[in-house]
Amino acid sequence: MKVAVLLSGGLDSTTALHWARRHHEVVCALAFDYGSNHAAQELACARKQAELCGVPYCQIDIRSISAHLQSALLSGADAIPTADYAEDNLKQTVVPFRNGIFLSIAAGIAESKGATGLVIAAHSGDHALYPDCREDFMAAMSAAISHGTYAQLQILRPFISLSKTEIAALGKELGVDFAHTYSCYCGGTHHCGHCATCRERKDAFRSANIPDPTVYEQ
């Protein structure tokens, strides 16, 4: 199958790119600049990973849309909660309907490039917090996109039942260079080491018994 991969430059989506390259023909990697705190670092990694995989890279600027959305991810590093790994803190980092927006745009681009599938790295660890990462949403969105495209595009979500630890382990098996991935919500040159996504990243490497190549400030 010819597929387009949604690539953020993080651990999960980079592993999804490598998975897609093994199982399908990847026509492009799609990255979105939505004006997040960590856009510069994350997108640089996305471009690098696409180059390493020999996949065409397509970056879409949707900052004009994000200007109307409310999220700590769009409000500067000082807005990122670092207290404890609690749901109320993490909810502040949700970008409303982010995956819905990405997938809608990606469907049009993918069909234009001759793809019949979209690969997204939504996983089980995201389900509780992000409504647009859950399987019921993905199934409904896949059906809508299929009905709305001549190619009957479908959303492939290979990690929907996997944990981040399992994704890290798969990434190692696929030969992912995790040093060229970025996760930190604060967006510094190095990972801060204490925001929610840095903690999740550390835990994934530790639980998978994989050396963590990330440079953390703390």
Side-chain angles (χ1 to χ4, degrees):
M1 178 186 290
K2 291 184 178 181
V3 301
V5 180
L6 276 68
L7 180 65
S8 71
L11 185 157
D12 306 325
S13 69
T14 298
T15 302
L17 174 64
H18 284 254
W19 175 89
R21 191 177 61 153
R22 173 176 287 189
H23 296 284
H24 301 282
E25 178 184 346
V26 182
V27 299
C28 66
L30 299 174
F32 291 88
D33 182 355
Y34 59 101
S36 68
N37 303 328
H38 53 302
Q41 302 292 345
E42 194 175 47
L43 292 172
C45 286
R47 184 182 295 274
K48 176 71 173 179
Q49 290 293 344
E51 290 174 354
L52 289 172
C53 289
V55 171
Y57 177 76
C58 181
Q59 184 170 307
I60 301 100
D61 187 345
I62 59 168
R63 286 174 294 176
S64 60
I65 296 174
S66 299
H68 301 281
L69 303 178
Q70 189 70 37
S71 170
L73 286 193
L74 307 172
S75 304
D78 291 342
I80 298 297
T82 58
D84 59 354
Y85 201 88
E87 185 175 351
D88 287 344
N89 284 327
L90 294 177
K91 275 187 176 180
Q92 297 174 48
T93 66
V94 172
V95 178
F97 205 60
R98 177 172 57 181
N99 279 340
I101 295 168
F102 288 175
L103 288 165
S104 297
I105 297 171
I109 296 171
E111 184 171 36
S112 297
K113 293 182 178 295
T116 55
L118 287 171
V119 177
I120 189 168
H123 63 87
S124 65
D126 290 334
H127 295 180
L129 187 65
Y130 303 103
D132 57 355
C133 285
R134 298 170 189 161
E135 175 55 18
D136 55 355
F137 169 80
M138 289 294 169
M141 195 70 178
S142 186
I145 287 174
S146 178
H147 286 305
T149 53
Y150 282 113
Q152 295 184 317
L153 272 164
Q154 58 182 291
I155 300 174
L156 308 182
R157 51 267 193 202
F159 303 161
I160 199 71
S161 298
L162 300 184
S163 67
K164 201 174 191 78
T165 297
E166 290 171 315
I167 294 171
L170 176 59
K172 180 182 179 182
E173 178 191 331
L174 293 169
V176 174
D177 181 358
F178 288 119
H180 291 290
T181 61
Y182 191 87
S183 304
C184 181
Y185 282 160
C186 293
T189 301
H190 303 303
H191 286 67
C192 72
H194 55 78
C195 72
T197 191
C198 278
R199 297 183 199 183
E200 185 184 40
R201 182 182 176 99
K202 287 179 181 179
D203 289 343
F205 284 122
R206 187 182 303 115
S207 299
N209 197 27
I210 297 172
D212 186 350
T214 313
V215 177
Y216 297 102
E217 292 178 359
Q218 295 183 22

